[in-house]
Amino acid sequence: MQTNQKYKIIDRDMIKFIAIIPMSIGHFVDFYCGVSASLRNSLILFLLAQASLIASPIFFYFIAEGFRHTHSVKKYASRLFIFAVITQIPYCLMCNGTLVLSGMYTYLNVFFTLFLGLISLVVCESNLNLWAKIALVVILDAVTYLLKIQWLIFGIPIILILYYFKDRPTLRFSLFTLCSVGSLLITTLPAASLYYSKGLTEYFNLCIVGSVIDLCFLIAGYFIVTLFYNGEKGKNPAFTKWFFYIFYPAHLFLIYIVKTVAGKY
């Protein structure tokens, strides 16, 4: 799977703009419409909601790229952590209408995943011996599961895969797909198993079809960034850097406001 250079025509900032459009629409549809956006009730709403998954591999990829090119890993990590803490407020409000964490499938937002992914890269590129590196990365990955951070145990491996296998695209894609399937299994398998055991064939089939659709969106995001990214930052990197940091918590807070006004809580 060799990447054709003629397709590398989109800079970093434009790809991120491409990513946040389906992400924003998907989050709004998912959290505003709720069960109405399920595959059983509306295929169109379901597709709009799940299209937000396109953004995940794109932003994972740019964590790997950011680590490779940043002038200060310390400042980069600090920004991610600060915005992870900031984002947690609108994330909880959007999900629950309060700052209480109960009742949420994942308790901590994806900025924490990005932060821990960056820290894992720092560990892997440190002067520690191999077993110490492995142990620390396993601990960091366990933290994502124990604290119920978005993407659970699969976010960090994907970021590492995108960083270390940049020059081996076939293997990189295979490992990315494997982790994506694992992530989907860990979220859908409990429900699918329950439906199967109770003979609810329709619901079981919907779980399987929904997971396949989710995987297609993840792969679409993967190919958008790996095929079309040209290695350039964009025309206004200083502005867009802060724009993307601010946009994520801002759009979650906006969804919370709309849901509050509409009486959805």
Side-chain angles (χ1 to χ4, degrees):
M1 186 185 297
Q2 295 299 320
T3 302
N4 196 323
Q5 294 297 317
K6 72 179 181 180
Y7 296 124
K8 293 187 172 297
I9 56 175
I10 309 177
D11 62 48
R12 179 196 65 189
D13 292 344
M14 185 55 65
I15 288 180
K16 286 185 177 182
F17 277 117
I18 291 171
I20 66 173
I21 293 172
M23 179 191 76
S24 304
I25 294 172
H27 286 166
F28 178 80
V29 172
D30 189 17
F31 289 96
Y32 184 83
C33 297
V35 70
S36 298
S38 67
L39 183 57
R40 187 170 187 266
N41 291 323
S42 173
L43 175 60
I44 293 176
L45 289 179
F46 178 79
L47 292 175
L48 286 173
Q50 300 311 105
S52 64
L53 291 170
I54 289 173
S56 297
I58 291 174
F59 285 99
F60 287 164
Y61 182 91
F62 283 118
I63 288 295
E65 285 293 290
F67 176 74
R68 185 175 282 113
H69 298 294
T70 186
H71 297 297
S72 174
V73 173
K74 184 177 180 179
K75 290 181 179 179
Y76 190 20
S78 297
R79 285 196 301 271
L80 287 172
F81 182 76
I82 290 170
F83 274 90
V85 173
I86 292 172
T87 299
Q88 191 61 26
I89 297 173
Y91 177 69
C92 289
L93 290 174
M94 178 189 70
C95 291
N96 281 346
T98 70
L99 296 178
V100 179
L101 293 175
S102 63
M104 297 161 60
Y105 179 75
T106 52
Y107 287 162
L108 299 180
N109 68 82
V110 74
F111 259 114
F112 285 104
T113 309
L114 302 179
F115 169 73
L116 291 176
L118 180 64
I119 298 303
S120 296
L121 287 171
V122 172
V123 169
C124 290
E125 291 297 303
S126 69
N127 294 323
L128 296 171
N129 65 63
L130 177 61
W131 289 109
K133 292 178 181 180
I134 293 173
L136 286 173
V137 170
V138 168
I139 290 171
L140 289 170
D141 208 30
V143 167
T144 66
Y145 183 80
L146 294 173
L147 296 183
K148 298 185 72 172
I149 301 173
Q150 285 187 298
W151 278 83
L152 298 175
I153 61 173
F154 292 99
I156 288 176
I158 288 176
I159 291 171
L160 294 177
I161 288 164
L162 293 173
Y163 181 82
Y164 283 106
F165 298 102
K166 183 177 182 179
D167 297 324
R168 301 181 65 183
T170 301
L171 180 58
R172 178 182 62 182
F173 174 70
S174 299
L175 292 173
F176 168 81
T177 303
L178 182 64
C179 285
S180 296
V181 170
S183 177
L184 294 173
L185 282 176
I186 204 173
T187 55
T188 61
L189 192 58
S193 299
L194 179 63
Y195 294 146
Y196 185 80
S197 66
K198 292 183 176 296
L200 300 173
T201 306
E202 179 188 1
Y203 288 95
F204 173 79
N205 291 338
L206 287 172
C207 277
I208 302 303
V209 172
S211 294
V212 172
I213 292 172
D214 289 349
L215 180 61
C216 290
F217 280 126
L218 289 170
I219 291 175
Y222 172 90
F223 279 122
I224 287 172
V225 71
T226 58
L227 285 181
F228 298 109
Y229 174 51
N230 62 11
E232 301 295 328
K233 292 181 179 180
K235 295 182 178 180
N236 299 290
F239 166 77
T240 52
K241 177 179 73 173
W242 292 108
F243 173 82
F244 291 118
Y245 276 113
I246 295 170
F247 180 85
Y248 192 79
H251 95 283
L252 299 184
F253 187 69
L254 181 61
I255 294 172
Y256 162 69
I257 294 297
V258 173
K259 288 181 67 175
T260 299
V261 172
K264 290 285 185 176
Y265 295 108

